[in-house]
Amino acid sequence: METFLQVVANGLMLGGLFAIISIGLTLIFGIIKVVNFAHGEFLMAGMFLTYLITTKLGLHPYASVVVVAPALFVLGALTQRLLIQPLLSARDDHVQIFATVGLSTAMINLALLLYGADIANTPTSGLRTPVDIGPVRVLEGQIYIFLCAALLVVGLELFLHRTQTGRAIRAVAQNRAAAQLMGINANWIYVLSFGIGAACVGLASSLIAPLYPTSSTIGTYFVLTAFVVVVLGGLGSIPGAFVGAMLIGLIDALAGFYIGSDLREAVVFGVFLIILILRPSGLFGTRVKLSHIS
Amino acid sequence: MPVTFSPTLPAIRRLTPAAMGLVALLAGLFITPVLIGDEFVYHVFITICLFAGLSTAWNIVGGYAGQLSLGHAIFYGIGGYAGVILMNMGISPWFGMFVGAAIAAVVAIVISYPCFRLHGPFFALATIAFLEVFRVLALHFRDLTGGAMGMMIQLKLGWEWMVFRERLPALIIAFGMMLVCLIVAQVIRSHRLGFYLVATRERESAARAAGVQTVKVRLTAVAVSAALAAMLGTFHAMYLTFIEPAAMFSLPFSIQIAMFALIGGIGTVYGPLLGAVLLVPLTEFARGMLGAEALGLHGFVYGVVLVMAVLFFPNGLMGALQRFPAPKASQDPKVVQAAPVAAAPRAAERPPIGQEVMRVENLQKHFGGLHVTNDVSFSLREGEILGLIGPNGAGKTTVFNMISGFLQADSGSVSVLDREGRFQAPTSPSDFAALGVGRTFQIVQPFAAMTVEENIMVGAFYRHHDVHDAREAARETAHRMGLGPWLDAEARGLTIGGLKRLEVARVMAMEPRILLLDEVMAGINQTDVRRAIDLMLSIRDTGVSIIAIEHVMQAVMSLSDRVIVLNSGEIIAEGKPQDVVRDPHVIEAYLGKDFVHAQH
């Protein structure tokens, strides 16, 4: 029983990690309707930045977020403005897919060029200290990630529903043309949304860097799971992504323990394929119009 | 191979510059390394042939069918593993290659079938997920695959084992396999399957209405593509002599395959070849010259080139030249019509209205709480024009969707007379098409990237399996519809009147016995309306039965033998056009109670 509880706790902590990575992805998809295949590389860039700031300036990894999040915001905004916006009117989907796939390939290999294949370990700053909560034991840093993910969900929901900018974003997401007729600058909203989505990844990377080693391929490792989470939670739904992340975290942890650690990825992707094929709108996704289903 | 080439031999005498360029390119690919004789140059050219072949195979699915697979390494990997495992059991890779191809084709069909509901990025994501699953499974089943340690082939040299010390034989095999891929791609593109694939990619519903079994053609494409990729995988495994899951089931490798096609020209026959020829040397030389120092350099270049390509040449290099090479069409001198001809002169005497050909009984349909079709029954006779009118939202198009198989009724039945004189109850669009029911769409659905001729050919293929016959039939239909001058124009460039005529032409090329026309006259000018009326009469005189949804009353009055008025999903009047328009219920439905009261 204790083991089971520990596995569940691990699953929830893993869920928190997946959630904080996936929130930005689902936000960008929900509004711009573009699947950002370079999302994982944004995370990788943020983690390298955190590593540099922490090691060169001797700051606490969490303190680096004041630089990393704005930097990622700029990266995201530029991506939208320079890469996605010219392609929004493209007739075929493949153009947008290849654009972000190309960006991802370029970023992975740029990191390889700059840092080589070595692993960069961000100082843990005590965040790997185990904490006992009742019968289970988790890392301090994992708790912060979980809490930040939950706060980010609440914060973004409040922003999208309670502020004028947030309403404008939702309006553009639902019907771009109609929103423009209401005087909303849709292109600007897209740039802003992509920036916010990327900034969320910036926050995530500062939180994750002390716990996971940074390498050029770390993004690929995480982003595939993030896609699973986003599809499971309903594309574009932020609370859905949180719940989806918890589910995938639990499945991952339970499958890893009870089926075999080398097969847990197969189980996670198996679940993903089943959801994608049977319920492409996700378990909780009713909000987003399913323009991808003809 | 010689068999495939022989029919085109007479054409060689009048080779186009493009064809000469292709021959020169292919010859160069083979001769250059032989002349230079350098090991490394051989390696580069073998790699070019390998990627050109893989990318060409990918293009059958990713380009023609528009299903953007980022998991093609699955098939390549299956081929590689099948070859190595069988070789280590003492079976020649020449045989193992076909085993791998067969397994890959089956796997491709099994994993693609459920994924066809997904479009664009979601299909791509699903293929990535499948790739990950295969990689993890290959790592897990160590007994079969050697797990993360990988597998060496037993070093048995010679043609029999596809393993050589010298490079030339490997080049010969790689080059030959690339040629096979190119020939398969060319044959598919220039035959019915290719037209069907592109049509399905452009407009799935219109393709189904044209009698295309969209799932079947896509599965065929996927199976062929996977089999070719697997055969190249077997060869490459023999060439590398060592395989491991991380290399065989690799996402970056899959992306590369797709990337060459994109840069060369996605959906074109020779684009992938061009992409591989231009990009592979770049990266192989970078790797060879700079070695480990430039770790990641070639990938970075690939990524940047890819981004630049989508931004500035979204149709690739070939696309910039010509989108769909249709060699036969460009060679034959075209009979260009100076002015659009109207319909063929009508027969003096119209044939009498015959027996019932379609029976619609008690159709019911709900959309949620909305009762869109309430107990609709009618029948259609041979050679008759039945007008279907009613205010907006009356449920006319829903009825059409149910009598062409696009929508299933909640209850009630639709039966169509087959050629043997028995009534059948078709259910799917292809069943309806097989019984001779053709339809147009209210919102025109052209295959935008195809020419007018190719659009009509998709319909003509229903009767003519041969490309030449279909092309002839399409041209004849086009001239009859007044589309002659635009045969080579891309459909996306037509005006709305032209697109409406194209809709009708595509259906007419199927030679239907029952024609369902959904507002073909809406939004076109007066001249075109007159011409369309003549056209419909001439179609009717050939014995075709027509049901026409129409708002243009001039057309309804002069065409229809009988009119059915639909309002709120119910038939409120039926009869001769002159009688129906005087029916108070009809006037009320269109103009409201007040108007009826005001008249009295």
Side-chain angles (χ1 to χ4, degrees):
Chain A
M1 191 62 203
E2 291 233 328
T3 327
F4 177 75
L5 284 179
Q6 182 61 50
V7 172
V8 168
N10 289 350
L12 289 177
M13 290 301 119
L14 206 53
L17 175 76
F18 293 154
I20 202 146
I21 298 170
S22 311
I23 289 166
L25 187 65
T26 202
L27 183 78
I28 292 171
F29 177 81
I31 295 158
I32 310 170
K33 311 285 187 287
V34 165
V35 176
N36 180 16
F37 283 85
H39 189 80
E41 283 58 55
F42 283 20
L43 179 75
M44 180 263 295
M47 285 173 76
F48 266 116
L49 207 53
T50 307
Y51 166 75
L52 285 180
I53 293 167
T54 315
T55 50
K56 304 283 173 192
L57 302 179
L59 289 176
H60 189 275
Y62 287 0
S64 70
V65 81
V66 294
V67 179
V68 175
L72 266 285
F73 180 93
V74 173
L75 180 64
L78 285 177
T79 306
Q80 166 62 26
R81 179 65 195 83
L82 300 178
L83 189 60
I84 307 295
Q85 194 170 307
L87 303 176
L88 271 182
S89 57
R91 205 172 49 85
D92 298 329
D93 292 323
H94 72 246
V95 173
Q96 287 160 15
I97 298 172
F98 273 117
T100 53
V101 166
L103 182 64
S104 149
T105 309
M107 286 179 73
I108 291 175
N109 289 286
L110 184 64
L112 259 181
L113 268 174
L114 294 177
Y115 298 99
D118 298 336
I119 284 169
N121 283 310
T122 308
T124 56
S125 312
L127 292 168
R128 294 193 71 90
T129 319
V131 180
D132 286 311
I133 304 174
V136 298
R137 171 174 288 195
V138 293
L139 301 181
E140 201 180 315
Q142 289 182 315
I143 299 172
Y144 295 138
I145 291 178
F146 189 92
L147 292 177
C148 277
L151 282 175
L152 191 59
V153 170
V154 175
L156 279 174
E157 283 294 293
L158 285 176
F159 167 68
L160 288 174
H161 287 86
R162 297 289 165 82
T163 67
Q164 199 56 31
T165 316
R167 289 191 194 101
I169 290 177
R170 284 190 297 132
V172 173
Q174 297 197 354
N175 190 326
R176 187 182 175 201
Q180 281 177 310
L181 289 175
M182 299 301 110
I184 299 170
N185 183 341
N187 281 339
W188 159 241
I189 292 290
Y190 281 167
V191 170
L192 181 71
S193 309
F194 213 114
I196 294 174
C200 293
V201 186
L203 171 66
S205 46
S206 290
L207 291 166
I208 294 169
L211 298 185
Y212 285 83
T214 304
S215 71
S216 58
T217 51
I218 188 82
T220 323
Y221 176 76
F222 280 123
V223 79
L224 290 174
T225 315
F227 284 139
V228 178
V229 165
V230 167
V231 169
L232 185 69
L235 294 144
S237 161
I238 293 168
F242 189 81
V243 180
M246 292 303 140
L247 279 175
I248 291 297
L250 286 173
I251 292 172
D252 192 312
L254 292 170
F257 189 78
Y258 291 103
I259 298 176
S261 61
D262 60 336
L263 279 184
R264 59 186 182 78
E265 279 182 308
V267 174
V268 168
F269 287 115
V271 170
F272 173 57
L273 288 166
I274 293 168
I275 300 285
L276 197 56
I277 291 160
L278 296 184
R279 255 191 87 90
S281 56
L283 292 182
F284 321 100
T286 45
R287 273 181 31 174
V288 177
K289 212 171 72 187
L290 288 170
S291 52
H292 61 285
I293 307 276
S294 76
Chain B
M1 188 185 87
V3 182
T4 332
F5 263 147
S6 55
T8 56
L9 270 176
I12 286 179
R13 266 176 233 114
R14 43 192 172 103
L15 276 178
T16 59
M20 280 194 285
L22 176 67
V23 171
L25 181 65
L26 288 174
L29 269 183
F30 188 80
I31 295 168
T32 313
V34 176
L35 286 182
I36 299 177
D38 181 68
E39 283 271 304
F40 180 66
V41 175
Y42 263 120
H43 169 72
V44 172
F45 277 78
I46 290 168
T47 313
I48 293 176
C49 290
L50 173 85
F51 273 110
L54 283 172
S55 196
T56 303
W58 177 88
N59 195 36
I60 295 171
V61 173
Y64 300 174
Q67 297 281 348
L68 202 84
S69 159
L70 290 180
H72 250 55
I74 295 172
F75 314 124
Y76 161 85
I78 287 174
Y81 272 100
V84 172
I85 290 169
L86 288 175
M87 178 163 185
N88 290 350
M89 289 162 63
I91 298 166
S92 163
W94 289 105
F95 178 75
M97 188 156 94
F98 289 97
V99 175
I103 297 172
V106 172
V107 167
I109 288 173
V110 171
I111 66 181
S112 304
Y113 182 74
C115 291
F116 281 153
R117 293 180 52 203
L118 305 169
H119 290 261
F122 302 94
F123 185 84
L125 282 177
T127 56
I128 293 177
F130 272 116
L131 180 62
E132 288 301 309
V133 170
F134 269 86
R135 191 176 56 79
V136 171
L137 292 179
L139 284 169
H140 179 75
F141 292 102
R142 283 178 209 93
D143 299 341
L144 189 66
T145 64
M149 301 291 290
M151 278 178 118
M152 287 291 286
I153 57 168
Q154 297 166 3
L155 214 55
K156 291 181 271 196
L157 295 174
W159 276 96
E160 189 191 349
W161 301 104
M162 223 191 263
V163 184
F164 315 93
R165 280 203 199 291
E166 60 278 28
R167 299 279 187 167
L168 179 63
L171 178 70
I172 293 173
I173 296 173
F175 186 77
M177 289 175 105
M178 178 191 72
L179 279 187
V180 170
C181 291
L182 286 172
I183 290 167
V184 170
Q186 170 69 61
V187 166
I188 289 181
R189 183 61 188 90
S190 56
H191 285 74
R192 189 163 72 136
L193 180 59
F195 283 81
Y196 276 3
L197 284 171
V198 176
T200 306
R201 175 189 80 193
E202 295 291 318
R203 294 277 176 168
E204 190 166 349
S205 49
R208 287 166 69 201
V212 179
Q213 289 174 309
T214 53
V215 172
K216 198 176 129 195
V217 296
R218 279 181 181 173
L219 287 179
T220 313
V222 160
V224 170
S225 171
L228 290 173
M231 291 167 86
L232 283 155
T234 308
F235 160 74
H236 204 212
M238 297 303 136
Y239 180 70
L240 297 171
T241 67
F242 171 75
I243 57 174
E244 56 172 339
M248 296 311 276
F249 297 108
S250 136
L251 179 58
F253 189 85
S254 295
I255 293 174
Q256 264 183 41
I257 296 174
M259 184 185 82
F260 295 132
L262 178 91
I263 287 169
I266 216 163
T268 63
V269 180
Y270 299 104
L273 170 70
L274 202 60
V277 167
L278 289 176
L279 284 178
V280 171
L282 197 72
T283 60
E284 289 300 322
F285 280 114
R287 221 196 303 241
M289 302 295 154
L290 302 169
E293 270 175 54
L295 187 66
L297 179 64
H298 83 279
F300 180 65
V301 172
Y302 272 171
V304 172
V305 168
L306 191 51
V307 169
M308 292 298 142
V310 288
L311 279 177
F312 301 110
F313 304 99
N315 289 330
L317 297 166
M318 290 291 280
L321 305 172
Q322 76 190 117
R323 198 175 157 89
F324 289 111
K328 306 295 180 300
S330 54
Q331 283 163 17
D332 293 5
K334 191 140 298 156
V335 191
V336 178
Q337 297 282 323
V341 278
R346 289 175 47 200
E349 198 84 2
R350 81 171 277 196
I353 291 179
Q355 56 173 335
E356 280 186 351
V357 286
M358 180 187 258
R359 257 187 227 141
V360 176
E361 282 156 320
N362 311 101
L363 282 188
Q364 298 276 3
K365 184 75 190 172
H366 291 85
F367 287 150
L370 187 66
H371 203 167
V372 273
T373 307
N374 185 3
D375 201 23
V376 166
S377 307
F378 60 86
S379 66
L380 178 70
R381 293 175 174 282
E382 196 177 346
E384 180 186 39
I385 298 184
L386 178 62
L388 187 55
I389 64 172
N392 290 327
K396 302 183 294 291
T397 298
T398 304
V399 169
F400 253 38
N401 283 339
M402 287 188 285
I403 62 176
S404 57
F406 279 84
L407 208 57
Q408 292 297 316
D410 295 341
S411 66
S413 70
V414 181
S415 37
V416 179
L417 195 70
D418 67 10
R419 285 182 172 74
E420 276 76 52
R422 287 185 304 261
F423 271 97
Q424 304 286 348
T427 49
S428 68
S430 58
D431 287 352
F432 275 93
L435 287 165
V437 180
R439 73 165 292 183
T440 69
F441 291 89
Q442 180 182 3
I443 296 160
V444 287
Q445 303 215 358
F447 306 123
M450 296 170 112
T451 66
V452 167
E453 183 181 71
E454 289 172 326
N455 262 274
I456 305 172
M457 278 171 78
V458 173
F461 273 123
Y462 198 71
R463 295 272 171 242
H464 310 277
H465 289 206
D466 183 79
V467 183
H468 294 280
D469 296 348
R471 199 181 294 280
E472 281 312 309
R475 283 191 189 163
E476 195 193 313
T477 313
H479 287 301
R480 214 171 132 207
M481 299 290 159
L483 286 166
W486 294 283
L487 275 175
D488 283 334
E490 278 199 356
R492 73 182 99 200
L494 291 183
T495 60
I496 185 70
L499 286 172
K500 296 254 176 185
R501 264 182 283 159
L502 181 59
E503 283 277 320
V504 182
R506 194 171 60 211
V507 183
M508 285 311 295
M510 295 172 69
E511 296 168 27
R513 292 156 55 234
I514 298 171
L515 187 55
L516 309 179
L517 300 175
D518 197 347
E519 294 204 29
V520 287
M521 299 193 198
I524 62 176
N525 64 38
Q526 271 299 312
T527 332
D528 282 345
V529 168
R530 283 264 18 120
R531 197 186 294 156
I533 290 174
D534 287 342
L535 183 67
M536 282 170 70
L537 290 173
S538 78
I539 292 170
R540 177 201 66 188
D541 291 349
T542 60
V544 176
S545 318
I546 298 176
I547 304 179
I549 294 180
E550 206 47 77
H551 280 305
V552 178
M553 285 314 280
Q554 173 199 359
V556 176
M557 297 300 287
S558 57
L559 276 175
S560 311
D561 297 305
R562 205 150 50 91
V563 173
I564 289 175
V565 188
L566 214 55
N567 187 32
S568 303
E570 289 179 64
I571 294 182
I572 56 167
E574 182 176 351
K576 292 202 174 303
Q578 305 85 313
D579 302 340
V580 163
V581 292
R582 282 194 216 100
D583 189 312
H585 291 105
V586 177
I587 298 170
E588 186 187 316
Y590 269 92
L591 300 170
K593 270 197 167 63
D594 293 346
F595 186 81
V596 182
H597 291 156
Q599 275 190 320
H600 296 291

